[in-house]
DNA sequence: CACATATAAAACCGTCTAGTTATTAAACCG
DNA sequence: CGGTTTAATAACTAGACGGTTTTATATGTG
């Protein structure tokens, strides 16, 4: 189910231009020309990057006259992070304690611990 | 420094075969034929995937007679997760509190908690 | 209406990717 | 030694990628 999502998400993140675009959008909506400005490439090239990000669900686009403002959509980033989180324990053990804590907080406060292992 | 690392890491993770290989290696070392067994593709194809993973620093390889056992190397995964962590706050606010907690724990253990007022 | 702005689309190019088959290299075994 | 196992290499193909230039499509403005 979630396989294509991870494929498209990681593939989209593999390009530094696209990561920079996402970083810019983290500060708020932006138009295509605003997004293209910092890069030494043509506008169609940036539009292609945006199409890749859009197909991966990492951005969505509105309409404002001729402009197509883009905004960040983080849910694929969360999916990617969830996948990576399976390996968290291999490099940092204190994260395991934090994971437990998160479970407690989300379950309704300390005392309500109920974890499951994958 | 970290740009090419992220490029190679995310590109490597964009393929479901390679993600499955990493998942398998998370349970311990494995040889090329062991890794290739679950997949409906030829051995050279798997060897190519392993070369991609190796160039990305996600696996390392030993020597055991004819065998080349592979083992997981997680530090690029940590780099990828660190990058994604910048967006954590956009989908989950309780992570921010946990991040603060992590800082406290690493700074001096659970007795050294010294939170700042919000 | 004519023109400028903002963006997408088309056609093209060189490089990379994911797979194949066939071959080679190295190490073990009888 | 000859044969088998393990893995890498080579050569090839089809398609995706990242970029270009050129052209088209909306939309606002004088």
């Amino acid at each position: 189910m979630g396989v294509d999502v991870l494929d498209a998400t990681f593939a989209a993140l593999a390009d530094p231009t696209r990561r920079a675009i996402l970083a810019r959008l983290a500060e708020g909506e932006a138009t295509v020309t605003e997004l293209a400005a910092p890069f030494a490439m043509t506008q169609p090239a940036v539009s292609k990057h945006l199409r890749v990000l859009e197909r991966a669900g990492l951005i969505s686009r509105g309409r404002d006259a001729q402009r197509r403002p883009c905004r960040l959509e983080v849910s694929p980033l969360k999916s990617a992070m969830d996948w990576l989180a399976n390996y968290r324990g291999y490099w940092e053990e204190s994260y395991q304690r934090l994971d437990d804590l998160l479970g407690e907080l989300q379950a309704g406060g300390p005392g309500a611990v109920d974890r499951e292992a994958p």
Side-chain angles (χ1 to χ4, degrees), chain A:
Chain A
M1 183 197 287
V3 171
D4 318 327
V5 176
L6 287 178
D7 286 12
T9 302
F10 282 130
L13 296 180
D15 187 279
T17 301
R18 288 193 290 260
R19 289 197 304 274
I21 288 174
L22 293 181
R24 165 65 184 79
L25 290 177
E27 297 168 7
E29 283 195 4
T31 67
V32 175
T33 39
E34 285 168 353
L35 290 172
F39 301 108
M41 70 182 67
T42 59
Q43 167 261 313
V46 173
S47 280
K48 280 192 180 184
H49 282 303
L50 293 175
R51 208 166 63 87
V52 171
L53 291 169
E54 191 175 25
R55 274 193 301 133
L58 284 162
I59 67 172
S60 61
R61 325 174 79 156
R63 246 288 153 81
D64 170 27
Q66 320 110 25
R67 270 138 267 142
R68 307 292 311 275
C70 303
R71 71 171 161 293
L72 182 64
E73 298 287 341
V74 294
S75 69
L77 294 181
K78 172 162 167 43
S79 300
M81 189 130 167
D82 286 347
W83 187 87
L84 286 169
N86 293 324
Y87 299 86
R88 220 170 29 188
Y90 289 85
W91 68 76
E92 199 143 338
E93 80 207 38
S94 58
Y95 257 119
Q96 193 52 52
R97 283 180 288 155
L98 285 172
D99 206 30
D100 295 343
L101 267 176
L102 177 61
E104 294 163 10
L105 289 170
Q106 287 182 336
V113 180
D114 183 16
R115 295 204 69 232
E116 42 193 299

